[in-house]
Amino acid sequence: MNLTDFQIIYDERETIYQGIEATLSLVFISGVVSVFVGLVLTPLFFSKVSWLRKAVEWLCSAMRCSPFLLFVYVIYFGLPSYGINFDKYTSGLVALIVYHSAYMAIILRSAWVDIPADILEAGTAYGFRGAAMIRRIIGPLLLMRSIPMVGNQWIQIIKDSAYLGIISVVDITAAFNSIQSIYFNPFVCFIVAGLMYWLLCLLIEFIVNGVAHYARERIA
Amino acid sequence: MNAIANPKPATTDTVLRVQGISKSFGDNHVLKDISFDMQKGEVVSLLGPSGCGKSTLLRCINWLEEPDAGHIRLNSERMGYAGSGAKMNDTQLSQMRSRIGMVFQHFALWPHMTVLENVMASPVHVQKRDRKEVENEARAVLKRVGLEDKMDMLPSRLSGGQKQRVGIARALAMKPEILLFDEPTSALDPMLVGEVLEVMRDLAADGATMVIVTHEMKFARQVSSRIIFMDSGHIIENRSPEDFFDHPQTDKAKTFLHSVQYK
Amino acid sequence: MNFYDYLSFVYGALSTVGVSFVAIIVGIPLGLGLALLRWARIPVFGKCAYLYVSIVRSCPAVTLIMLIYFGLPQFGISLNPFVAALISFSITATAFNCEIWRSSLLAFDRSQYEAAQAFGMTRWVRFRHVLLPQIWRSSIPGLINEMTLLVKNSPAISVIGLLDITRAAQRIGARTYEPIPPLLLGFAIYIIIVMLLIELQKRLETRIRSAGI
């Protein structure tokens, strides 16, 4: 390891930008979308319709048992046999969203169960119901109460996004891997890649802490 | 028991009519054939030992618990059942509920909303009234309970007494036809009870129709037009406060008054 | 799928479970060591432990394993892929176990430890008979959860050419042009592993409860 190794990385910055762009966009889109999908799935856990409830419970436990890469293979290699073809980037994005939505739903469900019963009852007593109840009372409380757990899940999304290099999405890890395979400087390449992930996670932690601070006095 | 049954048919002034309400949780019969009427402007205190069913009765009135048998009528409209006799759907039920104000023992304020937002939430989002108009009224109501300077605060910043006054303001903002108080002061420090009772006394004097479950005997005697005393799911006495406190007729009531050291 | 395909699943399952198991065994004591460094508020080492956990916790399994397998030979340390996988997963498990132990330590009432000190117990006795039994008990759910996380990350070993369950499934699918059946079989194996772990957790918890410690 010496200075020229870093020089190489600097010279290859175009590839690296490409990787950063892919990782950031994958993480950002799936991070936001999975929270929303999770919010939509969560009420189904409490649905009166039993097949709906069973379906969402099954989906969530399935995702909880499956490794992310296996699920990526299902989307990327499996779906085409049913006539559904995504390109590699879209496959990766869909896999991240579906897989982590299930985890978000689990997180939000446990936050829902933890909301003090009388706060929800006050909502009912004051005429809130259905969508208005979720939008005005349960939803905001749920999001604020589950911020730390959602933040952890976002970090999980960042880490899982690195698997997508295996189906040749050029993310951060794949970008550095392609550089090291040309210049034979794997140590520096993967160290720098690791540091980039670290910075990304620190950024998430920073944001989450800020929001958690805001939420602290609003969650009963 | 004859004295307890409804003596006369409902008049136009009858705000609440409770007829033959029963409720069980499993084998536990909490309410057994409860009936009483309330006229406009009446203040009724529900008294009785803990576990006698008074809180459940309150929760049956606004259908938070669905009674097993019996009718509740709010200004002659039947609670829980539409005109056709079919069960009300969620929309109809929530419209009915928004005509009843409820004040909870543990305040149950929505912690993510400011004081003003708590008060405005139901009029704006349930009753769908004009936001500007509601806001003006909400400010007036908060002023009435003495919290005009706390409007933009979050509930977590308030004392228990202030929280409960917000709870009352929240109920008033819906312009309810009747107010239900479920032990509004029993979660408060003794020092903070007074400010809440003061507000309630003020409402009673203004002619609000109120049902109060409480352990504050002195207060019940002062503000109530009637006392309903319950024991193990039955109404045992239903009389004027003077009669009840000075000349309790049943042994159960005597024992109760003795146990709460009311002299 | 032919006999050799099923055999590759067995082989894959063995490496998946093997890597996860070894990592957790290595990670438990090392993680405890790091957690104690932070708990005891030892100046420089405590900070180092924090930094280690923070960096490793945010490093993807794929990236870390490639760093170990491709990077270390630059310093003359040549590893066979399996050893590289073990090292990489142990590094991760150590960081995660540190967090698990630390949260148990935070929940532990420090005054008990001081009471033990007041009764003249030596450092080792205090650790072994006062601290460890209590934090061990509260750590079990976290440790099992950590084990399932390791199992779910084990497909990362395929990037250095090792055969795990997911890789076996994908390879068979690529050969037979029927990707779904082997992937489902792989999924079923993961379900069995996760359920066994949950069962293990229940057993451990009952045993600890009945032992009354």
Side-chain angles (χ1 to χ4, degrees), chain A residues 48 118-130 132 136-138 140-141 144 214 216-220, chain B residues 59 62 64 90-91 94 97 102 104 106 108-113 121-122 125-126 154 156-157 167 170-171 174:
Chain A
K48 285 171 199 147
D118 61 346
I119 290 175
L120 301 185
E121 198 156 65
T124 310
Y126 280 73
F128 284 95
R129 60 174 201 89
R136 303 287 171 189
I137 298 186
I138 299 176
L141 276 174
M144 283 195 268
Y214 167 87
R216 198 161 300 137
E217 51 181 5
R218 287 174 170 77
I219 54 177
Chain B
R59 294 160 55 81
N62 68 357
L64 282 179
D90 269 4
T91 319
S94 79
R97 284 193 181 116
M102 186 155 184
F104 292 81
H106 297 284
L109 298 178
W110 298 306
H112 57 296
M113 303 182 188
S122 182
H125 302 306
V126 177
L154 289 166
S156 60
R157 290 282 176 86
R170 178 171 70 170
M174 301 195 304

Side-chain angles (χ1 to χ4, degrees), chain A residues 106-123:
Chain A
I106 294 168
I107 289 169
L108 294 172
R109 175 183 59 174
S110 60
W112 187 322
V113 174
D114 281 347
I115 297 178
D118 61 346
I119 290 175
L120 301 185
E121 198 156 65

Side-chain angles (χ1 to χ4, degrees), chain A residues 1 5 62-70 73-74 77-78 81-82 99 103 152 155-156 158-160 162-163 166 173 177 180 184-188 190-191 193-195 197-198 201-202 205, chain C residues 50-51 54-63 66-67 70-72 74-75 92 96 149 151-156 158-159 165-167 169-170 177 179-180 182-183 186-187 190-191 194-195:
Chain A
M1 181 162 61
D5 286 334
M63 292 301 142
R64 230 166 25 165
C65 288
S66 164
F68 179 65
L69 185 62
L70 185 88
Y73 285 158
V74 171
F77 294 120
S81 30
Y82 298 98
Y99 189 78
Y103 283 84
N152 282 343
I155 289 178
Q156 210 54 52
I158 293 175
K159 295 173 67 178
D160 277 348
Y163 280 111
I166 296 176
T173 300
N177 192 31
Q180 69 93 17
F184 306 109
N185 56 346
F187 191 79
V188 169
F190 291 121
I191 282 283
L195 288 179
Y197 285 110
W198 186 45
C201 290
L202 286 182
E205 249 170 64
Chain C
Y50 167 77
L51 212 60
S54 175
I55 294 175
V56 171
R57 231 168 65 96
S58 53
C59 188
V62 182
T63 321
M66 291 205 280
L67 172 68
F70 297 122
L72 287 189
Q74 271 189 298
F75 302 94
T92 315
F96 274 90
L149 276 180
V151 169
K152 279 190 283 183
N153 268 319
S154 59
S158 64
V159 293
I165 300 170
T166 301
R167 173 101 175 109
Q170 188 264 333
Y177 295 105
I180 289 289
L183 286 172
F187 176 49
Y190 284 113
I191 291 181
V194 171
M195 289 207 306

Side-chain angles (χ1 to χ4, degrees), chain A residues 143-164:
Chain A
L143 285 178
M144 283 195 268
R145 289 180 147 246
S146 48
I147 285 163
M149 298 300 295
V150 168
N152 282 343
Q153 201 58 40
W154 279 335
I155 289 178
Q156 210 54 52
I157 292 179
I158 293 175
K159 295 173 67 178
D160 277 348
S161 72
Y163 280 111
L164 298 178

Side-chain angles (χ1 to χ4, degrees), chain B residues 21 60 63 65-74 76-89 92-93 96 99:
Chain B
I21 291 294
C60 282
W63 227 249
E65 301 286 357
E66 192 177 329
D68 301 332
H71 294 193
I72 306 275
R73 284 176 193 279
L74 180 66
S76 73
E77 268 177 74
R78 192 165 166 203
M79 186 80 194
Y81 293 86
S84 58
K87 279 197 178 180
M88 279 185 169
N89 62 28
Q92 294 166 316
L93 209 49
M96 280 300 273
R99 293 164 55 188

Side-chain angles (χ1 to χ4, degrees), chain B:
Chain B
M1 289 278 162
N2 288 339
I4 298 165
N6 294 311
K8 43 184 191 286
T11 64
T12 47
D13 273 353
T14 307
V15 174
L16 180 72
R17 166 156 266 212
V18 176
Q19 279 177 305
I21 291 294
S22 298
K23 176 76 188 172
S24 318
F25 296 105
D27 289 340
N28 185 12
H29 300 280
V30 184
L31 297 176
K32 298 164 191 161
D33 195 22
I34 300 283
S35 300
F36 66 92
D37 278 357
M38 280 183 70
Q39 310 300 315
K40 196 168 165 49
E42 261 199 303
V43 176
V44 168
S45 289
L46 282 177
L47 306 182
S50 57
C52 70
K54 20 187 224 301
S55 286
T56 308
L57 175 56
L58 222 52
R59 294 160 55 81
C60 282
I61 291 175
N62 68 357
W63 227 249
L64 282 179
E65 301 286 357
E66 192 177 329
D68 301 332
H71 294 193
I72 306 275
R73 284 176 193 279
L74 180 66
N75 279 317
S76 73
E77 268 177 74
R78 192 165 166 203
M79 186 80 194
Y81 293 86
S84 58
K87 279 197 178 180
M88 279 185 169
N89 62 28
D90 269 4
T91 319
Q92 294 166 316
L93 209 49
S94 79
Q95 284 309 317
M96 280 300 273
R97 284 193 181 116
S98 73
R99 293 164 55 188
I100 302 173
M102 186 155 184
V103 177
F104 292 81
Q105 180 177 1
H106 297 284
F107 328 122
L109 298 178
W110 298 306
H112 57 296
M113 303 182 188
T114 64
V115 166
L116 188 63
E117 286 165 353
N118 260 283
V119 175
M120 291 173 59
S122 182
V124 171
H125 302 306
V126 177
Q127 296 175 333
K128 308 277 183 208
R129 289 167 48 200
D130 176 61
R131 175 178 277 275
K132 263 259 101 39
E133 180 193 317
V134 169
E135 185 172 336
N136 289 335
E137 284 175 17
R139 287 178 188 279
V141 170
L142 282 167
K143 196 166 178 190
R144 183 168 175 190
V145 299
L147 290 173
E148 63 268 44
D149 54 338
K150 309 277 183 211
M151 288 198 259
D152 298 318
M153 283 196 178
L154 289 166
S156 60
R157 290 282 176 86
L158 303 179
S159 73
Q162 290 168 335
K163 281 182 194 166
Q164 197 55 297
R165 283 188 279 153
V166 177
I168 296 173
R170 178 171 70 170
L172 290 176
M174 301 195 304
K175 300 186 178 166
E177 292 155 41
I178 187 167
L179 283 163
L180 311 177
F181 292 85
D182 187 7
E183 305 198 20
T185 57
S186 38
L188 296 178
D189 289 336
M191 298 292 288
L192 303 173
V193 170
E195 59 186 80
V196 172
L197 295 184
E198 196 52 49
V199 170
M200 291 170 66
R201 206 181 308 252
D202 195 46
L203 291 175
D206 261 13
T209 313
M210 300 157 65
V211 187
I212 307 170
V213 172
T214 184
H215 294 294
E216 300 284 334
M217 294 302 144
K218 256 196 197 129
F219 172 76
R221 175 169 190 157
Q222 286 166 3
V223 303
S224 307
S225 41
R226 207 140 45 91
I227 302 288
I228 290 180
F229 176 73
M230 290 177 64
D231 189 79
S232 42
H234 292 287
I235 294 184
I236 295 193
E237 304 209 13
N238 179 356
R239 309 159 59 209
S240 77
E242 292 73 24
D243 278 355
F244 176 77
F245 285 106
D246 296 339
H247 313 289
Q249 290 198 323
T250 56
D251 288 342
K252 290 234 164 96
K254 283 177 196 161
T255 318
F256 172 75
L257 285 174
H258 186 73
S259 73
V260 296
Q261 293 174 343
Y262 181 86
K263 293 175 194 104

Side-chain angles (χ1 to χ4, degrees), chain C residues 11 14 28 40 50 54 59 69 95 97 107 121 133 145 151-152 157 182 196-197:
Chain C
Y11 185 84
L14 285 179
I28 285 176
Y50 167 77
S54 175
C59 188
Y69 184 65
N97 287 343
M121 293 185 185
N145 188 36
V151 169
K152 279 190 283 183
I157 64 177
L196 285 176
L197 284 172

